[in-house]
Structure formats: C-alpha cells, structure tokens
Amino acid sequence: MTAQIMICLAILLAAVVMFSWDRVPADVVALGVMLAILGTGLLTPEQAFAGFGSSTVMMILGFFIMTAALSHTGIVDTVGRWILAHAGNRPFVLLAVIMISVSTLSAFISNTAATAFFVPVVLGIAAHNKQSPSRLLLPLAFASILTSSVTLISTSTNIVISELMVRAGEPPMGMFELSPVGLPIAVAGIAYMLTIGLRLMPDRGRDAASLDEVGNRDYTADLVVTADSPLIGIALASSPVGRESGFRVVRLLREEKPVTDKDEAHLAAGDVIVVEGRRRDLLRVKDTPGLDLKADLHLAGSADEETEIVEGVLMPDSPLIGHTLKSAEFHERYGLKVLGLNRAGFRMPRRLSRIRMRLGDVLLLQGRPEDVRELERGNLFNIFGGVDTERLRTSHAALAVLIFALALAAITFDLVSMPVAALGGAFLMLLTRCISPEDAYRRVEWKVLILIGALLSLGAAMDATGTGRYLADRLIALVGGESPLLLLSCFFVLTVALTQPMSNQAAAIVVVPIAFETARQLGYNPRSFAMMIAIAASCSYLTPLEPSSLMVFGPGRYRFMDFVRVGFPLTFIIFAIALALVPLLWPLR
C-alpha cells in the first residue's frame, strides 16, 4: 500500500463518516473531499475541477429545468390529480392506484418531485377517508424509488454511472437499457407492498393526519361563472368544479337564490358556486377558464386574515439542521413563529426554542404569506398545503409535453448525445416561456450538482492513485474470483450499505471504479457490474435518509425500525431479481 493509497482511503473513510453524520450538508462534505484531494496533491486543480464541466452535470441541469417546466405548467399536478380522483375510497384499491401513479410518474421525473406532489394529496385523502396516513405514505415513498431502474433519467444516479462507464471506455447506458430488470423490480415491489408489506406497515391511527387540525380545516370561497365562460350550459356535476377539484360544492346561487337540485343544474353566467376545500385546491380556480374567485379566501370560523398557518417538514439540506430556533434566530430572520414541533409523533421535553432541529422534523408555522413563500423558496421546508406562489402556466402545458417528448425521443433513437438533448430541451422550455429563467434557476437543485461535480474528483483520485485497483485486489483475495455471482452479490451488498448513509450518487461514484477494476483483472464484463451497482444504488429502503422517505417520515409518524422492517424484505427481493436477470442480460464473460 502506497502513501497515496493510504491518503485516498483516509479521505474515503472520512467522507463516509461525514455523510453518515447529519450535521454537515452533503454538498459541503463533497466540497471538503475535493479540497482534501487537492490539498494532499492526489490531483491537480484541473483534474479535480473537471467534474463540474462533465457531461453528467450538464445533463442533470437540463433535466432539472425540463421537469421544473412540467410542474410549472401543471402537467404533473393534472395527471396525478386525475388518477387519484378515480381511485375510489376502497383502501386496497386506493393504495394500489397511489403506488402505480407515483411509480409511473417517477420513472420520468425526480422521485423526490413526484413524492413532494403526492404527499399533500395523500394526506388529504387519508383525512377525507378517515384512514391512517401511516398506511399510505411509506408505500408512496417506496413506490417513487422502485422505478429508479426503469429509465436512464429515473434518477440522476443512473446518469452518474453512465458517465463513469464512458470514462472507463464502455458505451453509455441506454435510455431503456435497465428496463428489462427495472420493470420486474417495480412490479414485484408493488406486489410486495400490497401484500406482505401492507401487513408489516405500522398503523399509527389518525393522529398523524390530525397532528395539526388547522392543516385539515376547510376554507370557504365563492366562485363566479364569468360572462364568457366555456362552462355555461354544462351541468355542475360534470364541470371541473364538480369533479377532480378536491373540494365540495355547498350550494349554487343564481340571482342570489339557491338552486335546489344543484348537481343537475346547468351553469349560467353570473352563477355563484359556494365551495369548501383546502387552500391548494381553491387557488387552482385562478387557472380554470371561466371561473373566478368572488372574494379573498377566508378560514372557516376565523376572522384573522392577516396571517396563515402552514405545516412544513425540514428538508435534507436545510441550514437549520443541528441548530435550535433560538441560535438560528428563526423569528428574527424569517419573520415566522413556530407554534409546535413534531418529531415522528413524539413530544419534546424541552422548550421549542431549545430543541435542535433534525431531518424530518415537522414544524407548525404562522406568519405572513410572503414570509412563508420566501421560506419555501429557500428550500428550508417543504410546505404542506402549498402557498400561493405564481400561477401555473397551463396554456403552455401541451407545448411542455411536446418538448419533453422530443428530448426523450432524441435520446431513445440516439439522434444526439444525452447532454445535448437535455440542454436542448431545457433551452426550448425557456425560449417558449414554459418556465421563466428565474423560476427555472430557483427550482434547480444546485446542491445536487455541486455534490456530483465535487465527488467526481474522488472517483478520479481513486483511479489516479491506484486505490480502486488495491481495493479490487483485496476483495478478490477475500471472496475469490472463481464465482462471478458471488462477486456481483458482494458489490450489491457493498453499494446498498454505502447508499444508506451516503447519497446514491456518492455511493455509486465510490463503488463503480472498484467494480470495474475487479472485472478487468478477472476477465469479466464490467457492464454487468455497472448495472448491478446501478440497481443497488437505488435500494434506499432501510433508512429514512432518502429524500422521498424523509418527506413522509414526520407526517406518517414513522420510526427508524419501520423502514428496516418493511425495507429489508423488499431489498432482498430486488437483490434476487437483479442476481437472476443481470447475468442473463449482460453476460459476465
């Protein structure tokens, strides 16, 4: 073992420890790793900084902008709401529809984005059906992760591994190359969650849904049918107000008089529809042609319209993690008051101002709407129930779908390289005003780009110093090289173990070079190992540290062992499928 290998291993070990310790944000750890590599002379500055200019970072940036545009034009919202509106109220059918919907959506967009949309919708359905949210939210999070191996763009981890394959002299990963393994994994995973997993799921009652009754209280509003409305002559029950709206029609007024059979009545100009529903649903009225809000929304039974009360879950990279509300000067800095805190359903023995914030903490916040908006824009919290930010550009929805489909087609049929297709699609989204540059840049997860760009230097250092070769030698000496299936199993277990405390991308960047070196020394196909690692890197079911799992951790009142109990059998099922199919699809020799 040379001195450079010892230094590289020390940096690698320190990175794993720091990723496991929640106090320092992952992107800061990645920058520290890159600086340590520079400081110890393992790489030159040009080599260390090359990751930020890689095709991987550019590709992910393009997809971030395109998926943000799909959300901004209302596509994600419309599709998800339409599916859930037709699910009915039978628990088993509802759970099946939720899992199939979110898994289908997350096959083409970020699983975190898919989960973020469905969480408030599922909470509302659970409250409406008087069902425990803990029976729905964990399957929701797991379903969003299950399709990570269906397409190349299901997760940025696949794109990172594709880049590492190119650097190692292998062809890049195809758009649907993982699908023959990913689809069986998704089907088996959903079947497991609907049968065995459902029995292992905790039932914490409805306390999680009623943690804050304010969040479940209804708003009332008066909707007016405008003179040029396309809804004139349409029965109320068949209109957007009567179906797929998320709120209840209380009464229909015509010339200030109530209409007796309101559901069968045909709408006329000037009709006033009195409705009740959550703020998020009512604010969509602004984007429904022919309808308008007659007056400002008001909280039923409350005369205070100057402030609003919202529920927010602490995001993974929030600067509040590890700090108390007092030390962070929360009220002075953000202008909001914290009315309560929930940590997976447990009561805190200390005063709110003296409790150190952790991942997944749910805070009940009160303040002015503009202050709440600013808090969400800063990615400190995911605000449940939403805030009235900017109106969706629904008029650009068809155009956004067309641009996204063209980008996928260009990748699928290999018309242009993936980075060019992604950035070209992003450019067209911006050029056609599907999303403004300001909104696009605000929604890009810059921390993910920094994390990937900085950590690519670690992979380069492992290759330059021979650390990958050294670890491959030790692994071969430990398990032997006679059984390639045993080696594949070892790399699967190693990747799953690393991806729990580390980010998926970080785990892949660490393991892939070792696997490639091992395969080359023994004469095996490196592509088989890359595909096995890609599948294993998305098996984030054993801890709540995956962003999708984190978003349901507090609202579902889950505990750490809930993920172990439900996630371990699921991980084993995925391992068995991968071990059976990967050698068949990508022969080892």
Side-chain angles (χ1 to χ4, degrees):
M1 182 188 299
T2 66
Q4 284 191 325
I5 292 178
M6 292 179 63
I7 294 172
C8 192
L9 286 175
I11 294 174
L12 174 61
L13 179 61
V16 173
V17 172
M18 292 299 292
F19 280 124
S20 305
W21 192 44
D22 300 333
R23 301 297 178 87
V24 183
D27 53 322
V28 176
V29 174
L31 286 174
V33 167
M34 185 180 67
L35 290 174
I37 291 172
L38 282 169
T40 54
L42 298 183
L43 293 178
T44 64
E46 291 77 14
Q47 292 173 321
F49 298 151
F52 290 102
S54 68
S55 59
T56 300
V57 172
M58 293 297 101
M59 189 185 314
I60 294 174
L61 174 62
F63 278 117
F64 275 156
I65 294 175
M66 284 199 293
T67 54
L70 290 177
S71 176
H72 196 64
T73 53
I75 296 299
V76 174
D77 186 74
T78 301
V79 172
R81 182 167 294 279
W82 184 89
I83 294 173
L84 289 177
H86 292 78
N89 57 6
R90 290 173 293 176
F92 181 85
V93 176
L94 179 62
L95 181 60
V97 171
I98 289 173
M99 294 192 68
I100 294 173
S101 302
V102 72
S103 61
T104 302
L105 194 60
S106 64
F108 298 97
I109 70 170
S110 161
N111 56 4
T112 306
T115 305
F117 164 69
F118 274 100
V119 163
V121 176
V122 170
L123 284 174
I125 291 175
H128 181 267
N129 293 346
K130 297 182 180 180
Q131 187 176 358
S132 171
S134 63
R135 305 286 290 178
L136 300 174
L137 289 176
L138 190 58
L140 163 68
F142 280 9
S144 73
I145 306 172
L146 277 170
T147 47
S148 297
S149 299
V150 171
T151 67
L152 176 62
I153 61 173
S154 299
T155 171
S156 56
T157 306
N158 294 343
I159 301 175
V160 170
I161 293 177
S162 180
E163 170 73 11
L164 294 173
M165 292 166 64
V166 172
R167 291 189 177 192
E170 289 285 320
M173 191 184 300
M175 180 65 177
F176 298 101
E177 187 172 358
L178 276 170
S179 298
V181 182
L183 287 174
I185 286 175
V187 172
I190 292 176
Y192 160 79
M193 290 301 299
L194 290 174
T195 53
I196 301 173
L198 192 59
R199 297 187 178 185
L200 298 175
M201 290 293 302
D203 189 349
R204 302 276 151 74
R206 296 186 59 233
D207 290 342
S210 58
L211 170 66
D212 168 29
E213 289 300 328
V214 175
N216 292 323
R217 289 165 69 178
D218 287 334
Y219 289 80
T220 61
D222 296 338
L223 311 183
V224 180
V225 180
T226 59
D228 57 348
S229 175
L231 303 179
I232 295 175
I234 297 177
L236 177 59
S238 303
S239 71
V241 182
R243 53 178 173 81
E244 305 167 18
S245 60
F247 45 70
R248 299 176 301 279
V249 177
V250 177
R251 64 176 63 183
L252 175 65
L253 300 176
R254 181 169 295 162
E255 297 179 354
E256 303 299 328
K257 297 180 181 179
V259 177
T260 53
D261 191 3
K262 62 179 187 300
D263 291 333
E264 299 300 325
H266 289 71
L267 295 175
D271 282 357
V272 177
I273 310 169
V274 182
V275 297
E276 290 182 354
R278 295 185 305 142
R279 178 183 62 237
R280 179 187 178 99
D281 299 322
L282 293 173
L283 291 175
R284 288 196 184 87
V285 171
K286 297 180 180 180
D287 299 301
T288 304
L291 283 179
D292 204 356
L293 290 169
K294 185 177 182 180
D296 292 336
L297 302 178
H298 56 280
L299 184 63
S302 174
D304 184 9
E305 298 179 5
E306 296 181 357
T307 63
E308 64 178 4
I309 299 174
V310 296
E311 183 184 35
V313 61
L314 206 60
M315 298 298 286
D317 297 319
S318 173
L320 296 177
I321 294 174
H323 294 277
T324 65
L325 297 173
K326 184 176 182 180
S327 65
E329 299 179 339
F330 185 83
H331 178 64
E332 293 79 5
R333 185 174 298 178
Y334 303 107
L336 296 167
K337 295 181 179 179
V338 179
L339 304 181
L341 180 145
N342 176 270
R343 181 169 294 163
F346 296 101
R347 291 186 176 181
M348 299 292 103
R350 299 180 181 178
R351 295 173 55 186
L352 284 177
S353 61
R354 297 183 179 180
I355 298 175
R356 292 191 180 276
M357 300 293 102
R358 294 183 184 175
L359 292 173
D361 281 352
V362 180
L363 273 63
L364 189 63
L365 306 168
Q366 181 181 34
R368 297 183 303 168
E370 53 267 33
D371 292 331
V372 175
R373 253 191 315 269
E374 195 62 32
L375 189 70
E376 189 174 43
R377 285 175 178 171
N379 291 325
L380 275 74
F381 288 90
N382 180 57
I383 303 297
F384 289 98
V387 290
D388 184 12
T389 52
E390 298 182 40
R391 295 178 61 177
L392 297 178
R393 300 188 178 186
T394 54
S395 59
H396 291 65
L399 184 59
V401 171
L402 176 62
I403 293 172
F404 191 72
L406 289 175
L408 292 184
I411 295 171
T412 303
F413 297 104
D414 201 22
L415 301 179
V416 295
S417 65
M418 290 185 57
V420 173
L423 287 176
F427 171 74
L428 290 177
M429 292 286 192
L430 294 169
L431 184 65
T432 56
R433 305 296 293 177
C434 290
I435 188 171
S436 67
E438 295 77 17
D439 286 328
Y441 300 147
R442 187 170 64 244
R443 296 191 183 198
V444 167
E445 298 180 42
W446 297 106
K447 294 180 180 181
V448 173
L449 298 181
I450 292 174
L451 173 71
I452 295 172
L455 277 183
L456 283 173
S457 64
L458 179 58
M462 292 182 67
D463 183 55
T465 60
T467 304
R469 185 179 298 107
Y470 173 81
L471 291 175
D473 290 338
R474 302 284 76 76
L475 183 63
I476 294 171
L478 180 64
V479 303
E482 294 77 15
S483 175
L485 291 180
L486 181 58
L487 278 174
L488 279 180
S489 301
C490 288
F491 279 111
F492 185 94
V493 173
L494 175 62
T495 307
V496 169
L498 289 178
T499 201
Q500 305 308 315
M502 301 170 66
S503 71
N504 301 358
Q505 300 91 346
I509 290 172
V510 169
V511 178
V512 166
I514 304 173
F516 272 24
E517 187 62 34
T518 303
R520 287 197 179 98
Q521 287 192 31
L522 297 175
Y524 297 135
N525 181 9
R527 202 170 193 84
S528 303
F529 289 80
M531 297 304 171
M532 194 70 168
I533 293 169
I535 296 167
S538 296
C539 288
S540 305
Y541 305 106
L542 301 179
T543 70
L545 298 180
E546 165 73 24
S548 291
S549 297
L550 176 66
M551 296 180 73
V552 304
F553 186 75
R557 294 185 66 198
Y558 296 116
R559 298 170 185 147
F560 188 91
M561 289 306 298
D562 292 334
F563 290 83
V564 176
R565 183 174 61 254
V566 182
F568 183 81
L570 179 58
T571 302
F572 183 81
I573 291 172
I574 293 173
F575 165 68
I577 294 174
L579 192 62
L581 295 181
V582 167
L584 291 177
L585 296 167
W586 300 276
L588 285 162
R589 296 186 184 275

